[in-house]
Amino acid sequence: QVQPVASGGGSVQAGGSLKLSCAATGYTFSRCGMDWWRQAPGKGRERFSGISESGNTWYISSVKGRFTVSLNTAKTIMYLQMNNLKTDDTAVYGCFADYCSGPSNDLVGNWGQGTQVSVFS
C-alpha cells in the first residue's frame, strides 16, 4: 500500500509559522487532486485544504487567509505554508490523494501517517 507521507511538523508559539511537505517516493502528483487533512485531539479527521490537477486550491473558512497549499515545479512535493498559527490548529496533519490518473492512482484512498503540529500560547 503506497502512502503519501507528510513531514515538517513541530511545536510553535501561537502567531508563528510552519511549512509542511507531502511526498510519495517514486510518484508524482501532476495528475492528482491532493488534499491536506488534520485530526485534533478528541476530534474526527477533517480535510481542510487541497489542490486540484489544474492547480486550483481550496480552503475551509477557519484556515483561509492563513494557510497556503502549493506544489513544487516537478509536482512531486505538495507544501502547506501555515502562518499565524492558533492553538486550535494543534493536530496531526497529513496528506491524501483524492484522485489520480496513471501510475499515481496507487496513492488514492491511502491516508498515511501524519506529522504532529502543536501550537502553544
Side-chain angles (χ1 to χ4, degrees):
Q1 193 180 46
V2 183
Q3 300 172 345
V5 177
S7 61
S11 185
V12 63
Q13 192 168 21
S17 298
L18 279 174
K19 188 173 184 177
L20 305 183
S21 300
C22 169
T25 303
Y27 290 85
T28 175
F29 300 148
S30 61
R31 298 172 69 184
C32 298
M34 297 295 298
D35 293 346
W36 284 99
W37 59 265
R38 63 184 181 181
Q39 187 166 16
K43 296 186 178 180
R45 182 185 289 147
E46 69 168 350
R47 284 193 262 183
F48 64 91
S49 180
I51 185 165
S52 72
E53 182 178 357
S54 61
N56 294 322
T57 58
W58 65 271
Y59 307 90
I60 63 172
S61 59
S62 61
V63 306
K64 196 169 186 177
R66 300 188 296 122
F67 292 7
T68 303
V69 60
S70 62
L71 295 171
N72 69 338
T73 303
K75 298 190 177 181
T76 55
I77 304 173
M78 178 173 65
Y79 297 109
L80 183 70
Q81 177 67 47
M82 303 186 294
N83 299 328
N84 191 22
L85 282 160
K86 304 177 180 181
T87 54
D88 286 349
D89 294 318
T90 294
V92 174
Y93 285 69
C95 49
F96 180 81
D98 188 31
Y99 64 86
C100 291
S101 53
S104 294
N105 187 61
D106 292 345
L107 301 171
V108 176
N110 300 326
W111 292 96
Q113 292 184 330
T115 184
Q116 177 69 46
V117 172
S118 298
V119 185
F120 59 91
S121 57

